[in-house]
Amino acid sequence: MTILSSLGRASRSAPLASKLLLLGTLSGGSLVAYSDSNKKEEEQKQKKKKVVVLGTGWAGISFLKDLDISSYDVQVVSPQNYFAFTPLLPSVTCGTVEARSIVESVRNITKKKNGEIELWEADCVKIDPANNKVHCQPVFKDDPEASQEFSLEYDYLIIAVGAQVNTFGTPGVLENCHFLKEVEDAQRIRRGVIDCFEKAVLPGLTEEQRRTKLHFVIVGGGPTGVEFAAELHDFIEEDITKIYPSVKELVKITLIQSGDHILNSFDERISSFAEQKFLRDGIDVLMGMRVMSVSDKDISVKIKSSGEVVSLPHGLILWSTGVGTRPVISDLMEQVGQGGRRALATNEWLQVKGCENVYAVGDCASIAQRKIMGDIANIFKACDVDNSGTLTEEELQDVVEDINVRYPQVELYLKSKHVRSIKDLLTDSEGNPKKEVDIKAFESALSGVDSQMKSLPATAQVAAQQGSYLAKCFNKMEHCKEHPEGPKRFRTGGHHQFRPFQYKHFGQFAPLGGDQAAAELPGDWVSAGRSTQWLWYSVYASKQVSWRTRALVVSDWTRRYIFGRDSSRI
């Protein structure tokens, strides 16, 4: 107060020029302070590494949810500004669940983070790893001002763009089939099903024409195809036939599978249960058939056993036969020497091979697991501390954990042999443990390990775990540079910065309609029936990304039980 009073008295007694000088000095000081504050904020932002994330599917959202963005400048590029709970897409096709009940805005998901995430609604059209840039095309093609291509620079790139439908080059599929990858696909199918019934009840059609309109064909006996067939059957039996009684007996659902069984990724007990359930429900399951071509009126299939080609008329076709590579990923693979592959090859840390600062997660990537037999000599050398040419039990014990972590196939091999440790494989002809082993015995004991190497399935469960794992690696990147937590480097010495990604399978479900489902859970536990359907409800409700979507999904299930499904064409 004394200083301010003195300044006030001085200003009142001073001439005008002095007053302006005093004011300029004071205001200049505040401007300098403000400028210094802005400068510090700008410098702090520039110090942050730029992380660009492509895609907001399971992998991308899991990465964003778990990433500490206070340490990074995060930018997201995605053609959708929402995340969709894709396992419930078959339920959306028939109105069991509404489309908006399974989507959540990406901005809502990330707004609670300690920092700011920038999101652009655009497609990534090209990745330039040589210059650390991505080129993007906004989705607003009808607006010239908002459709100009732009590019982003990055320090780290996270590719989580997923995959596209695989047509296997079959003629007519793109033009005449529905797919089920996005929310928009489910909405189109829902309108298409209602259209088929509306067309079938029009006057002037013959019975054969009505049968054709009401013949629904599903190509692919995997989880998506089977669940859609079950949902469609329930929709027709419980709701549609009540309002279209005149064509009730003309409806037919056909499921075409190229293999010998449907749900062949599940336990054979579940496959058999599903086939018997569909047989009782009147769903025609055609196995051992390959689709040759599709037109707007019929689908041509080849019977593998006889080679005969038959034609089936259809009203609507769902194509659900697996996933293929997106063009932007194919282009990147050519640039990094991975041309001809089905997916981007990454190492066990999800780092794209040939790019130090590019990571790929989810359906667009595949982990190229390292073979233990390729490193067997280096492993033996690292274990043989005294360079005696043999390994003692104590020497092996020191690296057993590192071997199990670095090569996940070892654990699977031990389980298949019903043993607990690598040491249990090093036995003599009578089954007694050896005190010392040479490199030949060591190599012989582990020779079958690589036979347990398996590719991970393209599922939401895998993608979510990969995104979460990668975020945790980024969160402790600086710490692990000084204090690596990974297994030993058997070739070069030292330790890897992080532990490699290891997938944990928590089981899988197959809803089969009629309030029945099948489940395959860890521990070789298989369950099927109505109780499993209620387990499916509880698991899928708990896995929603927000309380809003959780409440909406449960509300939709309740509404369906009370009022049935809505058959309006909207």
Side-chain angles (χ1 to χ4, degrees):
M1 290 295 295
T2 305
I3 295 173
L4 291 174
S5 301
S6 300
L7 288 173
R9 287 193 297 271
S11 66
R12 285 193 296 272
S13 60
L16 180 60
S18 300
K19 290 180 181 179
L20 291 175
L21 179 62
L22 179 63
L23 179 61
T25 304
L26 289 172
S27 62
S30 64
L31 286 173
V32 170
Y34 180 73
S35 177
D36 287 344
S37 175
N38 270 2
K39 191 174 182 181
K40 287 179 180 179
E41 289 179 6
E42 188 65 28
E43 288 177 354
Q44 187 178 6
K45 188 173 182 180
Q46 288 178 356
K47 287 181 181 178
K48 290 183 179 181
K49 296 287 188 179
K50 290 184 179 180
V51 177
V52 174
V53 181
L54 304 180
T56 53
W58 282 95
I61 285 295
S62 295
F63 177 79
L64 293 172
K65 285 179 66 178
D66 292 339
L67 180 67
D68 178 11
I69 63 173
S70 63
S71 304
Y72 298 97
D73 178 14
V74 183
Q75 301 170 334
V76 182
V77 178
S78 174
Q80 293 95 19
N81 68 349
Y82 60 83
F83 165 78
F85 191 85
T86 52
L88 284 178
L89 283 179
S91 297
V92 175
T93 62
C94 298
T96 305
V97 173
E98 293 298 325
R100 287 200 173 273
S101 298
I102 67 166
V103 300
E104 185 67 55
S105 168
V106 175
R107 300 182 192 276
N108 283 343
I109 295 173
T110 60
K111 70 180 180 182
K112 297 179 182 179
K113 304 292 289 182
N114 184 24
E116 183 181 354
I117 293 178
E118 295 180 290
L119 171 66
W120 289 284
E121 210 171 333
D123 283 302
C124 177
V125 294
K126 187 174 182 62
I127 299 171
D128 184 3
N131 297 304
N132 291 346
K133 282 186 177 182
V134 292
H135 300 277
C136 309
Q137 179 68 52
V139 298
F140 311 103
K141 296 180 180 179
D142 56 343
D143 186 342
E145 295 179 354
S147 61
Q148 298 179 21
E149 186 175 309
F150 63 92
S151 62
L152 300 172
E153 295 183 350
Y154 62 83
D155 294 305
Y156 298 107
L157 177 64
I158 314 300
I159 304 174
V161 297
Q164 64 182 16
V165 174
N166 192 351
T167 66
F168 299 97
T170 308
V173 171
L174 289 174
E175 297 82 5
N176 302 296
C177 293
H178 288 273
F179 309 106
L180 194 52
K181 292 287 291 180
E182 310 290 349
V183 173
E184 293 83 1
D185 295 334
Q187 293 174 315
R188 279 192 290 268
I189 292 173
R190 184 174 178 178
R191 290 192 293 268
V193 170
I194 300 301
D195 284 349
C196 288
F197 279 90
E198 290 293 349
K199 292 174 184 177
V201 296
L202 289 172
L205 272 68
T206 65
E207 181 175 316
E208 188 62 31
Q209 290 173 328
R210 299 183 201 276
R211 287 185 184 276
T212 297
K213 302 293 183 188
L214 298 177
H215 186 198
F216 302 94
V217 178
I218 299 102
V219 181
T224 301
V226 167
E227 188 172 348
F228 173 69
E231 283 280 357
L232 182 60
H233 173 267
D234 286 357
F235 184 34
I236 292 171
E237 289 295 316
E238 298 172 6
D239 301 284
I240 288 291
T241 54
K242 294 177 182 179
I243 54 178
Y244 299 98
S246 62
V247 294
K248 178 180 179 180
E249 303 301 325
L250 305 180
V251 182
K252 183 178 181 181
I253 301 174
T254 300
L255 179 64
I256 299 174
Q257 167 70 340
S258 62
D260 297 329
H261 296 281
I262 61 174
L263 297 177
N264 51 21
S265 62
F266 284 71
D267 186 282
E268 61 181 13
R269 291 169 287 181
I270 291 180
S271 296
S272 177
F273 180 84
E275 290 167 10
Q276 293 173 13
K277 172 72 167 56
F278 278 9
L279 180 63
R280 293 193 301 270
D281 290 343
I283 297 174
D284 195 9
V285 180
L286 306 179
M287 292 176 285
M289 292 193 173
R290 179 186 176 188
V291 177
M292 305 302 294
S293 64
V294 181
S295 72
D296 60 340
K297 297 185 182 299
D298 54 42
I299 176 171
S300 297
V301 295
K302 182 178 181 180
I303 304 173
K304 290 184 177 180
S305 59
S306 64
E308 180 185 0
V309 177
V310 296
S311 181
L312 304 173
H314 66 80
L316 181 145
I317 298 180
L318 171 69
W319 185 273
S320 176
T321 61
V323 295
T325 309
R326 293 189 183 275
V328 65
I329 299 300
S330 298
D331 178 71
L332 176 61
M333 289 193 292
E334 291 291 341
Q335 294 182 63
V336 298
Q338 295 188 25
R341 288 182 56 87
R342 293 184 178 180
L344 267 174
T346 72
N347 60 20
E348 296 87 338
W349 292 269
L350 309 182
Q351 188 178 45
V352 174
K353 291 194 169 185
C355 303
E356 292 185 0
N357 59 343
V358 180
Y359 299 82
V361 286
D363 296 355
C364 66
S366 176
I367 298 176
Q369 179 64 51
R370 192 172 187 84
K371 293 184 177 181
I372 192 171
M373 294 310 294
D375 293 336
I376 199 72
N378 294 305
I379 296 173
F380 188 89
K381 185 178 180 180
C383 296
D384 188 14
V385 179
D386 58 3
N387 295 320
S388 63
T390 59
L391 297 184
T392 64
E393 186 175 343
E394 291 75 16
E395 288 176 327
L396 185 59
Q397 182 63 37
D398 291 338
V399 294
V400 163
E401 179 64 23
D402 291 292
I403 294 174
N404 288 338
V405 172
R406 181 65 184 84
Y407 307 95
Q409 63 266 38
V410 171
E411 184 178 351
L412 297 175
Y413 183 71
L414 295 177
K415 286 181 179 179
S416 70
K417 294 295 183 180
H418 305 289
V419 296
R420 295 183 177 181
S421 173
I422 293 176
K423 295 183 293 182
D424 298 328
L425 299 174
L426 305 172
T427 57
D428 57 25
S429 57
E430 297 179 359
N432 299 316
K434 293 181 179 180
K435 293 184 178 180
E436 292 186 352
V437 293
D438 59 14
I439 189 169
K440 288 186 178 180
F442 186 65
E443 184 176 346
S444 177
L446 300 178
S447 60
V449 168
D450 291 330
S451 64
Q452 295 296 318
M453 294 173 62
K454 297 178 181 178
S455 298
L456 296 178
T459 63
Q461 191 175 168
V462 172
Q465 289 187 32
Q466 288 181 341
S468 180
Y469 161 83
L470 193 58
K472 292 173 183 176
C473 291
F474 270 67
N475 291 343
K476 53 190 175 183
M477 186 172 290
E478 294 302 321
H479 173 76
C480 288
K481 284 181 180 179
E482 301 295 331
H483 308 282
E485 63 176 23
K488 284 186 177 181
R489 293 180 180 269
F490 292 110
R491 286 193 172 190
T492 59
H495 285 75
H496 290 279
Q497 189 173 354
F498 307 108
R499 293 172 68 92
F501 171 75
Q502 191 164 3
Y503 170 64
K504 294 180 181 179
H505 185 60
F506 294 109
Q508 53 187 344
F509 287 92
L512 302 174
D515 287 331
Q516 296 190 52
E520 183 181 85
L521 301 176
D524 194 33
W525 186 65
V526 171
S527 174
R530 295 184 182 275
S531 60
T532 308
Q533 178 70 29
W534 285 102
L535 177 62
W536 178 84
Y537 283 139
S538 62
V539 170
Y540 274 38
S542 67
K543 292 295 183 181
Q544 297 299 314
V545 295
S546 70
W547 281 103
R548 185 191 73 86
T549 56
R550 189 173 293 118
L552 288 173
V553 166
V554 173
S555 174
D556 286 345
W557 286 334
T558 305
R559 171 189 51 77
R560 172 246 163 176
Y561 270 106
I562 298 174
F563 302 107
R565 302 170 182 84
D566 179 29
S567 59
S568 303
R569 187 193 184 280
I570 300 176

